[in-house]
């Protein structure tokens, strides 16, 4: 969490020609810069619409409230156990924000259908065939990456340019 550095990073990306940004920070700095510079952006963690009413296309919203309530209640009840939690769309820990009118209706419908399919368990985004950035096989045809595999990824998949930060 460093809004000044986040704003600098967003500005640098825009000055390099980026016309859509997405940040994985809790501050509105990148969204604010996107709004000021007239580019499009996606939000993460919360909706942030108020910081970029024309820039914001949609958002990934972290909904931790039910999880925290359940964990505190388990502690109160004496049933709390330490467990790894990797929840997503289906249990409601991750939500997709409303779509901007700047996104065509058919694309909105397609995105919503995909989110619904993920939530229903009919589609897993990390299903092979998928290759690593260097072209070597990561997931064979039909193979699905489990949560532990995803948490341990230290490479980009084919089609992503750049280097994984150290």
């Amino acid at each position: 969490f460093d809004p000044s550095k986040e704003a600098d990073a967003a500005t640098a990306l825009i000055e390099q020609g980026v016309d859509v940004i997405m940040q994985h920070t809790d501050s509105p700095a990148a969204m604010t810069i996107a709004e000021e510079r007239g580019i499009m952006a996606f939000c993460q963690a919360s909706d942030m619409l108020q910081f970029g009413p024309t820039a914001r296309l949609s958002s990934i919203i972290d909904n931790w409230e039910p999880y925290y309530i359940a964990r505190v209640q388990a502690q109160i009840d004496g049933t709390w156990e330490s467990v790894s939690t990797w929840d997503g769309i289906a249990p409601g820990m991750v939500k997709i924000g409303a779509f901007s009118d700047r996104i065509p209706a058919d694309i909105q419908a397609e995105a919503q259908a995909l989110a619904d399919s993920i939530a229903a368990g009919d589609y897993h985004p990390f299903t092979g065939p998928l290759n690593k950035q260097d072209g070597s096989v990561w997931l064979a045809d039909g193979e699905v990456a489990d949560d532990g595999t995803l948490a341990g990824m230290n490479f980009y998949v084919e089609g992503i340019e750049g280097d994984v930060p150290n």
Side-chain angles (χ1 to χ4, degrees), residues 98-143:
F99 297 112
S100 164
D101 290 340
R102 293 175 72 182
I103 300 173
D106 61 325
I107 302 299
Q108 290 183 38
E110 189 175 337
Q112 188 59 58
L114 184 58
D116 293 345
S117 181
I118 292 169
D122 298 332
Y123 176 77
H124 192 288
F126 289 95
T127 300
L130 285 173
N131 294 334
K132 293 182 177 181
Q133 186 181 42
D134 65 7
S136 63
V137 174
W138 175 44
L139 296 173
D141 189 23
E143 185 180 6

Side-chain angles (χ1 to χ4, degrees), residues 25-125:
T25 61
D26 290 333
S27 91
M31 180 56 62
T32 301
I33 296 298
E35 181 74 13
E36 290 172 1
R37 300 293 292 268
I39 70 159
M40 297 174 281
F42 287 89
C43 310
Q44 193 279 327
S46 62
D47 192 47
M48 298 190 199
L49 177 64
Q50 68 271 30
F51 300 103
T54 57
R56 183 202 152 282
L57 294 173
S58 187
S59 46
I60 299 168
I61 301 170
D62 298 335
N63 181 27
W64 288 93
E65 182 180 337
Y67 173 79
Y68 288 143
I69 290 170
R71 298 286 71 212
V72 169
Q73 190 61 55
Q75 180 64 28
I76 291 168
D77 296 343
T79 60
W80 184 86
E81 294 179 15
S82 180
V83 295
S84 294
T85 300
W86 186 280
D87 284 337
I89 296 172
M93 189 174 278
V94 176
K95 296 181 178 185
I96 307 297
F99 297 112
S100 164
D101 290 340
R102 293 175 72 182
I103 300 173
D106 61 325
I107 302 299
Q108 290 183 38
E110 189 175 337
Q112 188 59 58
L114 184 58
D116 293 345
S117 181
I118 292 169
D122 298 332
Y123 176 77
H124 192 288

